[in-house]
Amino acid sequence: MDNTPDRTPVVDLAAGRLRGAVEEGIAVFRAVPYAAPPVGPLRWRPAQAHPGWSGVRDATADGPSAPQMYMEGGDPVLGGHGSPPFDDDCLTLNIWTPAADGGRRPVLLWIHGGGFVSGSGSLPNYSGETFARDGDLVVVSINYRIGPLGYLYFGAEGQDGQDDPEAGNFWLTDQLAALRWVHENIARFGGDPGSITVAGQSGGAMSTAALAGHPEAQRLFQRVILQSPPFGLHIPTPAEYLERTAAYLQFAGANNADELRDLPWPRLIEAAGGLFGHTMEWGYWPTPFLPVRDGVTLREHPAQTLLHGAAADIDVMIGWTREEANFGFALDDRYAVATQEQVLGRIAETFADDADEVYDAYARTRPGARPVDVLMDLITDELFRVPCVELAEARAGAGRPVWAYQFDLPTPACGGRLAAAHCLELPFVFDNFDKWSHAPLIEGIDPALRDGLAQSMHQAWIAFVRTGNPNHPGMPTWERYGAESRATMRFDSVVTSVGDLAGHSRTLHEGRTRP
């Protein structure tokens, strides 16, 4: 079968035959099913094997994305993070490859973020085209269940005596099924199943770490890239989550899981809006849906999974943006008028009697800081920077490889209020600004500065996927994070390695118990 890039690519799999397309010289296969549709009786069940198909399946168009809230006209930061069509029959993946041959290229599996409630592996933002072309990689992006369809937890109730009656985290069973599919099938697309990197941003980075803690999954990949993982989130126990599920059932007007199964997915998404309001707390990132430590699919906080056992041998790159929390708070008028007393009260929830001292420590780092600036720095540290540094510290202390970075380049968008906000590094990593033209986040960035930094980051990600080491000739030496050096790569208008770049945050939070 001729699968050179200028011919229509066709691949034979155990499930059936696939016909893709050639886009800009890259063979692309879209909406490839990796698990059975999670509909009807399979709603809120672990992902099941796909039954396959007969004939040649067309894989030239994106399939539906997972059901989610949708804001017509987009949002003021990203301009939208998921668009119709949506459908609960969504367990598909997309593949980009230089050629569907026997090339055994390194594989990059991308897991999108979105606060566990939004996003899609089919978004143009996450196109694998640049990585496939520039790095001679095979790239896979996945759709998986999000929001109520992926993250509700019912415990023993509603599981009808399955093998794991109290298992949850249906999103994680989807991702495991996708990883298993990639491991078993990617050689047909020119990929090497023995060289797989799983990467994700935000909720996708949390997913990546959770996979590293799964006994089956951790044997299926060799490297991880964790971009802005919100490791500071408290991951609820089953008992804690069942309280959240009970509230959701009220908003949906249902008594149990069986009644929810009879509701159309738009009604389920509508009820999610009620849970947003119910779970929201002032000064905290809103997360109505979360992973659950069910003891079956997820046994510990994902921040701990890469520190011991087989997962300790996985190569790790981890990083954050300098002002992560500006993404969710800088443009919110309710926080712009926050008082010092309000912020001190929020700080006291973590630092108790030291709140005044901590407020002053944050205020000194920003001349003329408003209370909301202190709050955003606190949230950035609690949710992202400090727990990421703690993972790097622990791995370095154990002699395990880890590379750390901080993205510092501020965006001039929105009058500069967003600064180096959550998500800003994504178009630099993918080096595909043409796919982000709808996003207010990138407006006003100088093209010459932008393109140079994107080239440096994009090639570093390619090098890490290929070798487990992000160094390449186009940037200064990136040293591993060490127990003494604490070397951290700063991505800014000038790219440079800095010792203990997060030292102020690290020492300020030292000794505080993570959730």
Side-chain angles (χ1 to χ4, degrees), residues 340-503:
Q340 183 170 334
E341 288 69 29
Q342 283 178 298
V343 176
L344 281 168
R346 169 65 177 82
I347 294 173
E349 293 176 21
T350 302
F351 289 90
D353 296 335
D354 298 329
D356 286 308
E357 179 183 338
V358 171
Y359 186 99
D360 291 342
Y362 275 116
R364 284 195 298 271
T365 66
R366 284 206 201 194
R370 302 167 298 158
V372 67
D373 298 322
V374 171
L375 177 66
M376 288 188 292
D377 286 348
L378 172 76
I379 296 170
T380 292
D381 277 351
E382 284 187 345
L383 196 55
F384 299 100
R385 180 163 34 226
V386 171
C388 285
V389 168
E390 288 174 347
L391 174 61
E393 291 271 309
R395 281 187 63 96
R400 302 293 185 175
V402 57
W403 280 264
Y405 71 88
Q406 178 172 294
F407 184 88
D408 277 22
L409 183 74
T411 175
C414 302
R417 286 178 291 167
L418 290 172
H422 191 63
C423 293
L424 183 57
E425 91 286 3
L426 284 166
F428 292 87
V429 166
F430 280 82
D431 195 8
N432 63 347
F433 282 87
D434 58 317
K435 301 293 196 301
W436 290 78
S437 59
H438 64 288
L441 182 69
I442 67 167
E443 290 177 1
I445 299 176
D446 178 71
L449 186 158
R450 176 197 74 191
D451 293 346
L453 181 55
Q455 173 74 1
S456 183
M457 294 186 71
H458 184 58
Q459 291 298 328
W461 265 241
I462 288 171
F464 186 81
V465 173
R466 296 194 66 85
T467 68
N469 185 321
N471 282 283
H472 64 88
M475 72 173 189
T477 300
W478 186 346
E479 298 175 1
R480 283 168 47 170
Y481 191 98
E484 296 182 2
S485 71
R486 297 189 171 98
T488 305
M489 185 60 76
R490 171 188 272 160
F491 288 109
D492 201 342
S493 53
V494 175
V495 177
T496 185
S497 181
V498 179
D500 204 12
L501 180 58

Side-chain angles (χ1 to χ4, degrees), residues 277-352:
H278 177 77
T279 58
M280 193 172 292
E281 294 182 73
W282 193 90
Y284 290 88
W285 203 291
T287 50
F289 299 97
L290 288 164
V292 57
R293 264 185 275 195
D294 60 1
V296 179
T297 59
L298 188 62
R299 294 176 173 84
E300 61 185 341
H301 195 296
Q304 303 299 314
T305 59
L306 289 153
L307 300 179
H308 50 77
D313 293 326
I314 293 173
D315 295 323
V316 176
M317 181 200 295
I318 188 169
W320 54 92
T321 72
R322 189 177 60 200
E323 287 98 6
E324 296 271 9
N326 289 31
F327 176 96
F329 298 88
L331 305 184
D332 190 327
D333 292 338
R334 295 168 298 178
Y335 285 98
V337 296
T339 66
Q340 183 170 334
E341 288 69 29
Q342 283 178 298
V343 176
L344 281 168
R346 169 65 177 82
I347 294 173
E349 293 176 21
T350 302
F351 289 90

